[in-house]
Amino acid sequence: MSMRPSLPIAALLGAALSFLPGCESTKSSGPSPSDTRSQDTASVQSADAWARARVGDRVTYGFTATQGPSPRGGGGTARTLQGQLTLEVVAVQQPWVWVRVAFSDASGKPLSQARLAQDLLLPVRADTTRPLEVPHGGKASAEVASSAGRSWEAVRYVSDQRPVDGPLRTHVYANTPGPLYLTRGLIEAGMEASGFGAQGGFQMTLREVREGSAEASAPAPALERPLGPGAYYERFVDVAGTTPGVQRVCFSAERGYLLRTEGPVEANAAPCSDFSQAEPEPLEELLMGLPWEVLSAGDWPPAAALSGTRGTFSAEGRDVPALITRSSEDVEGTQRVFSETYAAEPWAPGLAGLPYEARFQPLASSTERVVTGGKNAPEGGARIVRWGSWLPGAK
C-alpha cells in the first residue's frame, strides 16, 4: 500500500550503518545454508504469530531522521528528528488484531510535530485473503544481533545503489521473529541518501520487546484515527481528459502487509471488498517513512496555507475548520486561479475516521479560468466527499 502523499521510501530514506547505542552484532562473511533456510521460514513463523497475537504484545524502536540543507545552493539548514516508535496490540477479535501505533520523544511524550502527534489505530487480519510476500532485497549475511536485552540469530540485507545515485539501504531481520511479528522480525534498519546532492538519512533500532498475556482481553477501540486499514475515503474528481466521478480509496492490512486500492465507486457493491490487485507494502517500511516525510514536507499546516483565509470544509454534515489558499498564474497567456482547502487542525473531531493520508493533503482543490468581464469559468478539481470504516463491527 502506498500512502498518499506517499514517500518513495527506498529512494529517499537513509542512514549511516553505525548502530544506535545498545545494539551490537557479530557478523559472518555470509549466511550459512541453515541461516538462509531460517529466513525462508521466518515469514511463515511471523504469519503464524499473528494468529496467536495477545493483548499487550509490544515492540519499541528508537529512530533518528536527518536531512541536510537544500542541495541547490546549500539553502536552508539541516533538520533532525529523533524519537521512538511503538506498536502495541490493544485488542484481538479474530481474525482481526488491533494495533496501536505511536510516535513519541525519548521520554515517551507525544512529539510536537502535528503529523506524528497522535496515536494511530491499525486493524490487521491474522489470516490472508491471498498469498502475500515481499522478499528482502540486497546482499545477505548472517549475524547474531544483540538488541533489547536479547540475542537474535539474524540476517543482514545490504542494498547499495550509490553507484547509480541511489541510496544505501540496510535491514536486519531475525530468523525467528517471535514477538517481533508486528514488524516481520525487524531488528534494525538504516538508509543513507545519495545522489543528486541528497544529504541525510534514517536509522531505526529495536529497543524494547514485551509479550502480552493470554488472559488479557479488551474490546476493539473506535476507529477514530486510522492509519488506513479498515477505513476508506471518497473523492469527487473532475479533471480535464477524464469523466467526472467519485473515486474510492480503500485500505486493509494482512499479517504485517498494508494494502491500498483506488478506483471508481461501483453501484451496489460492498465498499472495499476486493484487495486482490493491491500491491503489499510491509508495515515497517511505511512507518519508517513517516518521520522522513515530516522533515521533507515540514510541519502542519503547509507554509502556503499559513497566509490563507479561514473557512469551513463540509462533507456529509460534518463541518471542519479549514484554511483556504488562492493563487493566480498566467498559463500560456491564460490567467487561471488555483484554490486549495486544508484542514486547519488535522486531528479535529470532525475528521474522525478519516485515514491518515487524507488528513495531510488538500481536502479540496479547484482551478478556474479568468474570463474578462464575467464570472470565472471552472476547469475542474477534486474534493473529499465521504469517509468512514468498511470493517464489520468497527465503531
Side-chain angles (χ1 to χ4, degrees), residues 308-314 319-324 341-342 344:
T309 60
R310 290 195 169 270
T312 301
F313 173 81
S314 300
D319 295 327
V320 179
L323 294 172
I324 304 170
T341 300
Y342 296 90

Side-chain angles (χ1 to χ4, degrees), residues 41-392:
T41 60
S43 61
V44 175
Q45 296 172 352
S46 179
D48 292 341
W50 282 99
R52 300 190 300 272
R54 298 176 295 187
V55 174
D57 287 349
R58 173 175 172 166
V59 293
T60 297
Y61 296 85
F63 70 84
T64 300
T66 303
Q67 289 185 15
S70 172
R72 295 175 179 173
T77 58
R79 304 171 302 283
T80 299
L81 178 60
Q82 294 179 309
Q84 299 182 142
L85 165 64
T86 298
L87 294 84
E88 182 174 6
V89 176
V90 294
V92 177
Q93 293 186 359
Q94 294 291 358
W96 293 96
V97 178
W98 297 73
V99 181
R100 179 180 62 88
V101 176
F103 289 90
S104 62
D105 63 17
S107 64
K109 297 179 180 179
L111 293 173
S112 61
Q113 290 78 10
R115 296 174 187 268
L116 304 178
Q118 296 288 337
D119 296 355
L120 299 167
L121 202 58
L122 173 69
V124 183
R125 283 188 70 116
D127 57 1
T128 57
T129 57
R130 64 183 173 95
L132 296 174
E133 186 63 37
V134 177
H136 302 301
K139 182 179 179 180
S141 60
E143 65 179 63
V144 176
S146 297
S147 190
R150 304 188 187 190
S151 294
W152 310 81
E153 295 284 343
V155 173
R156 174 181 293 268
Y157 297 90
V158 178
S159 174
D160 190 353
Q161 299 178 16
R162 290 175 296 181
V164 291
D165 290 325
L168 173 66
R169 297 173 292 175
T170 305
H171 294 77
V172 180
Y173 284 95
N175 289 342
T176 304
L180 301 182
Y181 69 92
L182 291 168
T183 54
R184 301 192 309 148
L186 182 69
I187 299 172
E188 174 193 339
M191 299 186 191
E192 181 180 340
S194 176
F196 305 104
Q199 299 182 46
F202 183 91
Q203 60 183 19
M204 189 167 80
T205 301
L206 180 67
R207 286 187 175 175
E208 180 186 15
V209 178
R210 188 180 74 185
E211 298 184 64
S213 169
E215 289 73 36
S217 64
L223 200 58
E224 294 183 352
R225 295 188 297 273
L227 176 62
Y232 72 92
Y233 69 95
E234 298 176 0
R235 290 179 298 189
F236 178 79
V237 180
D238 181 7
V239 179
T242 65
T243 302
V246 177
Q247 298 280 319
R248 177 183 289 147
V249 182
C250 295
F251 304 89
S252 188
E254 300 179 2
R255 288 184 175 177
Y257 293 99
L258 284 87
L259 308 172
R260 181 186 188 275
T261 65
E262 181 173 357
V265 174
E266 298 182 13
N268 303 320
C272 308
S273 58
D274 182 9
F275 288 91
S276 61
Q277 301 303 311
E279 185 173 348
E281 179 178 4
L283 171 61
E284 71 273 15
E285 292 289 342
L286 184 142
L287 294 177
M288 283 190 286
L290 297 184
W292 183 272
E293 184 173 357
V294 168
L295 296 182
S296 299
D299 208 354
W300 195 263
L306 290 174
S307 58
T309 60
R310 290 195 169 270
T312 301
F313 173 81
S314 300
E316 284 204 317
R318 309 189 202 200
D319 295 327
V320 179
L323 294 172
I324 304 170
T325 67
R326 289 177 66 86
S327 62
S328 60
E329 183 179 347
D330 188 298
V331 182
E332 297 181 349
T334 300
Q335 194 75 9
R336 285 180 168 85
V337 176
F338 303 95
S339 175
E340 291 186 321
T341 300
Y342 296 90
E345 169 48 63
W347 305 111
L351 295 176
L354 184 65
Y356 179 89
E357 75 168 40
R359 295 173 185 260
F360 296 99
Q361 63 183 11
L363 301 175
S365 60
S366 65
T367 302
E368 297 176 336
R369 185 178 71 256
V370 177
V371 179
T372 303
K375 186 178 181 180
N376 291 352
E379 289 194 331
R383 181 182 184 87
I384 294 178
V385 296
R386 188 177 298 107
W387 66 85
S389 173
W390 60 264
L391 189 63

